[in-house]
Structure formats: C-alpha cells, structure tokens
Amino acid sequence: MGVNAFPRPGARRFTGGLYRALAAATVSVVGVVTALTVTQPASAAASTLAEGAAQHNRYFGVAIAANRLNDSVYTNIANREFNSVTAENEMKIDATEPQQGRFDFTQADRIYNWARQNGKQVRGHTLAWHSQQPQWMQNLSGQALRQAMINHIQGVMSYYRGKIPIWDVVNEAFEDGNSGRRRDSNLQRTGNDWIEVAFRTARQADPSAKLCYNDYNIENWNAAKTQAVYNMVRDFKSRGVPIDCVGFQSHFNSGNPYNPNFRTTLQQFAALGVDVEVTELDIENAPAQTYASVIRDCLAVDRCTGITVWGVRDSDSWRSYQNPLLFDNNGNKKQAYYAVLDALNEGSDDGGGPSNPPVSPPPGGGSGQIRGVASNRCIDVPNGNTADGTQVQLYDCHSGSNQQWTYTSSGEFRIFGNKCLDAGGSSNGAVVQIYSCWGGANQKWELRADGTIVGVQSGLCLDAVGGGTGNGTRLQLYSCWGGNNQKWSYNA
C-alpha cells in the first residue's frame, strides 16, 4: 500500500468533484452505528468502471492472469479501471495443490500481491470443482477424495485467512440441460452432501470470509438449472448451512443468450438472504446494449454487490474468437465500455446503490469504542501516540483513552480532545490516521445503518486492510463492498 504525504492543515486542498454533500438528517441512534445519506454532484460523473460502481457501493472487478502481469498495457488498464481482482486460474486446485498435501501459492501470490499493492480487493476462485483437478485428485474416489477436498479447502483458506474476503467455495456443481440434476462428477459420487461439507469446512477455515456458490447458465429464471440451484440455496439457508452469496458467471452467447428476466433471477436469489454477484461476465461480440442491461440489472438489486468481467482485452479472453470483452486487442475502449460506464453513471446524482435512511449523528459529548464486526477488535491509536500522522490499527478492546472516540455533531471522530480520525487521501488504499482537527471533509465520517463508516470527502469505506482481523491490522479507505471488515459498531 502506498503511503500518502500529509500536508499541514493550512496547505490541504481538495478537488470539488471528490466532495459528497451530506443529506438532511432526522433519526437518533442508541448503541448502534448511525447513517447519513450522501449525494454526488451530477457534474462529477465517474470516468472509470471502478469509480462508477463505487457510486453505487459496488465493486467492478476483472479476472487477471499472472503470466500477463509483465504486459504494461494490460496492467495499466486493469489498475485504472477495476477495484477487484479474481485470479483466472492461479487459485484453482491444480495450481495451488499440484501434489497431494504440498501447496504452491507462487502464482496465486503474484496476483494477490499485485492486487493489494494497487489497492484492490481479491476474490478467491475456486476451492471445490470437478474441473482442473490435479492428476492425483482425479485418481481418488470415495472417502479418500472427500477428505482430500476438505484438506484442500482448509489448506488454501488457512493460507489466505483474513486476506481474501470472498471465496467461490463450490463451482459448477449442476449439469447442463433441463434435468435440474447435480453434475455426475467424482465429487458428487462421494455423497450428495459434498457441497454442504465444503461450505461448512470453508466457514471453519475462515469465519470472516463471504462464501459463494458459483455457476454458469443460471441467469435465466425459467431454466431448470437455475431453479435447481435456487432450491439448493433455499434449503441451505433453511438449515443453517453457511452460504453467503451466489455468483452468476454470465457467459452470454448464442447458446446462452441474455434474457431480460436476469433481474428477476437476481431478485429471487437475494430474497433468500444471500448476496448476488456477476462473477465472470463476457458477452459474445460485446453488444453495448446487452452489457448495459446486465449492469442495470445488478444496480436494481440491493444485494447485487459487484460485477467482474472475465478478462481485460479481447485477446486475453478464454473466448478470444468471440471478442466478448470491453477492450479490444490493442486495449482500446469499445462501445460496450462506454455503455457500461453510462449505465454506472445513471442515477449517481442521488447516491445510487443500496439506500440507507438519512439519520442524524448522535449528539456530541459521549465517547466510546469503534469495534470491528469481523475482528471484534477496536480502532486503536498505537501506544497512545498523539503525533499527527499516527496510523490507527485494530487492537484488543480495553478501557484506555487511545480507544475512546467522540463522534461530534459535525461528523468528526475525536480522540485525545483535539485529534481527529483523518483520511490521508481520497482513493483506495489511503491510510487512516489521527491528525489535528481542522474541519476538513477528510476528517468527517458518515455512520450508516448497515454498519459501514464512510468518508465524506471520498465516499469510500473505513476498511481493515486485506480483511485482516489480528492485532496491529492497519485501516484504510476502500470501495464499499459489504464485507464484515468494513462494518463497525459504535457505542457512545
């Protein structure tokens, strides 16, 4: 993470387009995080996909291949346009456990490190799948295979515990066609409960991670495969199986064309109590209107938390012959890109995205701790250091003054009387520190009803770096995406 320079208060200047106006406020709060609604001026239309999605509290991601990270055109586009990264192949089973019990994260770490160094979240993909299994796993069956699946999930998730906030736990477990049956895979033949076991294992391995089921050709609400997955998720939710989201790959083509009822599908799954995500989007020949329709479908569903396209340029696509992506072979923006950006900018002047009711801040004067939902640790000024620029951290909660924050009527979090919680920038990865209070928008925070704390200047969420939960984890600004590492309780 880059460290921003921090000019003295009198020298600070902020671009008008970065400000967010506070809305009217009416509701009081007792013992929970409160909410303020913000709006962005219409003149500040987003100029990148990530910025556009962030206006609606969503991420816009891309699949990245490690062997292309030396291509400057490729990485420049990926870095500029996207704020979430999925490893295209490098976190799959054959890549991470090529020999039984011997894990290799070399290529996975290349992608993870590049993403985090550039301020992007990482989606984990994928842990249990019938395809891309190493030969040793293909040779197993029965209980031996079941245990190998469990060991693999534990090994990978333990390695990335607290670092990767979202995982595709199970991938493509249902067969194509009209049967609605499970795929006849070696994993399925270990017993019909294998998917449930995979999710329960994943929750134990990393309790803070969002756990997803991911599949293709489940976008059409009327399809038998869609209904079969829906029934599985409904059953899991009714029995307490830990599933948090469903990923819709959205590989649209002549064999699986986009259907306008995709929005209905997203709504119906979300109504079960899971988030929904568009996880591998590409569309044959990249029709601009269809791309825009998919974006609008996601934006219309509060629990649709983000969109990932499956590659940067057409030449990088697994279906390069279909020219299905937003950038051509030379890295130029296609008409579909502009249609997507326009769709993301629609409605941005009213805040976009999932709405939270406007409420008033709690009355000033009281002080209390800000406790992380994922970590159950408190925002802490290390060693009680009062120097400007001291970065805050997560630490075991205690009664010390270096964890006592006063939320003022003007939206500041004050500590030690005259120091404020301060954003050292307005982009993803900006450090969060204490600084002498001076009234700037980078020292004002919205407390939202969903548990997030949002910077007024940036519109970004207060975030535990890398999804970390341990003592000493630093805090940063990051695009709001709904993870528990961005949720807090404040009791004053």
Side-chain angles (χ1 to χ4, degrees):
M1 235 29 86
V3 176
N4 297 281
F6 314 118
R8 300 185 68 82
R12 295 191 177 200
R13 296 176 6 210
F14 300 97
T15 305
L18 292 172
Y19 280 96
R20 304 250 175 168
L22 293 177
T26 57
V27 183
S28 66
V29 157
V30 178
V32 296
V33 175
T34 60
L36 296 175
T37 303
V38 292
T39 60
Q40 180 177 359
S43 60
S47 60
T48 69
L49 302 175
E51 291 173 357
Q55 294 175 132
H56 305 274
N57 295 328
R58 287 159 171 83
Y59 69 81
F60 209 110
V62 66
I64 291 291
N67 63 6
R68 292 189 173 94
L69 289 177
N70 292 325
D71 181 336
S72 61
V73 174
Y74 180 89
T75 54
N76 286 342
I77 296 171
N79 193 28
R80 180 187 73 229
E81 296 290 340
F82 305 101
N83 58 6
S84 175
V85 164
T86 302
E88 189 169 358
N89 290 294
E90 291 79 358
M91 292 187 185
K92 292 175 179 174
I93 308 168
D94 57 350
T96 53
E97 194 179 0
Q99 299 178 47
Q100 187 170 11
R102 297 184 62 182
F103 291 88
D104 184 350
F105 298 103
T106 304
Q107 296 305 310
D109 279 347
R110 284 192 66 197
I111 290 177
Y112 176 84
N113 291 335
W114 181 87
R116 297 307 297 159
Q117 287 163 6
N118 288 284
K120 306 179 192 309
Q121 76 165 20
V122 178
R123 292 190 81 262
H125 176 81
T126 179
L127 297 168
W129 190 26
H130 71 277
S131 186
Q132 289 186 236
Q133 294 178 359
Q135 189 61 52
W136 66 263
M137 182 174 280
Q138 296 177 42
N139 293 338
L140 299 178
S141 62
Q143 185 56 37
L145 177 59
R146 172 68 65 88
Q147 190 59 51
M149 178 194 77
I150 292 171
N151 293 344
H152 180 78
I153 294 171
Q154 291 173 335
V156 175
M157 292 194 73
S158 295
Y159 181 80
Y160 286 112
R161 183 183 174 109
K163 296 180 179 179
I164 293 183
I166 313 172
W167 275 102
D168 291 332
V169 178
V170 174
N171 199 46
E172 301 174 1
F174 285 78
E175 69 177 26
D176 298 325
N178 298 318
S179 71
R181 291 193 298 263
R182 297 277 187 91
R183 183 186 299 274
D184 182 23
S185 68
N186 59 350
L187 291 170
Q188 178 64 27
R189 290 190 292 273
T190 69
N192 203 54
D193 64 340
W194 76 273
I195 301 177
E196 177 178 343
V197 170
F199 275 92
R200 292 192 185 279
T201 302
R203 176 66 86 227
Q204 292 174 353
D206 188 349
S208 68
K210 182 194 289 190
L211 308 180
C212 306
Y213 175 79
N214 190 55
D215 215 330
Y216 66 94
N217 289 11
I218 59 170
E219 297 80 21
N220 184 336
W221 177 242
N222 297 322
K225 186 175 180 179
T226 304
Q227 292 299 311
V229 174
Y230 176 86
N231 289 333
M232 179 190 72
V233 175
R234 182 172 59 183
D235 171 61
F236 280 8
K237 294 298 289 185
S238 70
R239 294 191 294 109
V241 178
I243 184 170
D244 304 312
C245 79
V246 176
F248 298 82
Q249 293 183 14
S250 305
H251 296 297
F252 294 116
N253 51 56
S254 57
N256 177 46
Y258 167 80
N259 189 302
N261 71 20
F262 183 35
R263 185 176 303 187
T264 298
T265 303
L266 296 176
Q267 291 168 335
Q268 292 296 324
F269 275 86
L272 293 177
V274 294
D275 288 343
V276 291
E277 302 180 6
V278 178
T279 54
E280 303 183 19
L281 178 62
D282 53 24
I283 308 177
E284 185 174 6
N285 297 320
Q289 188 54 50
T290 306
Y291 256 108
S293 294
V294 174
I295 303 311
R296 294 188 184 105
D297 288 342
C298 178
L299 297 182
V301 179
D302 281 358
R303 295 200 69 156
C304 185
T305 56
I307 300 155
T308 296
V309 290
W310 207 244
V312 178
R313 303 163 297 196
D314 285 336
S315 55
D316 305 313
S317 171
W318 68 305
R319 290 178 165 172
S320 58
Y321 58 92
Q322 292 184 348
N323 299 317
L325 296 174
L326 300 176
F327 296 86
D328 68 19
N329 295 346
N330 297 316
N332 299 309
K333 299 172 182 176
K334 296 162 62 174
Q335 285 302 311
Y337 171 91
Y338 295 106
V340 167
L341 190 60
D342 285 347
L344 291 170
N345 278 320
E346 290 172 2
S348 62
D349 59 341
D350 65 2
S355 60
N356 287 306
V359 302
S360 62
S367 63
Q369 296 168 323
I370 308 172
R371 186 183 297 261
V373 170
S375 65
N376 201 34
R377 290 187 165 91
C378 286
I379 297 181
D380 175 283
V381 181
N383 302 314
N385 191 337
T386 61
D388 284 348
T390 300
Q391 294 183 40
V392 296
Q393 62 180 0
L394 294 180
Y395 206 81
D396 292 333
C397 299
H398 56 75
S399 59
S401 61
N402 62 325
Q403 292 187 356
Q404 297 298 313
W405 301 88
T406 299
Y407 190 65
T408 70
S409 59
S410 61
E412 299 168 324
F413 272 114
R414 288 191 172 232
I415 197 165
F416 307 137
N418 64 347
K419 300 293 181 180
C420 278
L421 190 67
D422 176 289
S426 58
S427 59
N428 280 340
V431 299
V432 177
Q433 59 187 352
I434 61 166
Y435 207 92
S436 297
C437 299
W438 64 285
N442 68 314
Q443 292 187 346
K444 294 183 179 179
W445 306 87
E446 308 161 23
L447 288 77
R448 293 186 173 177
D450 63 357
T452 56
I453 297 177
V454 179
V456 169
Q457 181 212 354
S458 64
L460 302 178
C461 275
L462 186 64
D463 175 287
V465 171
T469 58
N471 283 336
T473 299
R474 298 293 190 184
L475 303 185
Q476 62 179 357
L477 293 181
Y478 203 82
S479 298
C480 302
W481 64 277
N484 282 341
N485 69 315
Q486 294 186 344
K487 293 184 178 179
W488 312 88
S489 64
Y490 175 63
N491 296 292

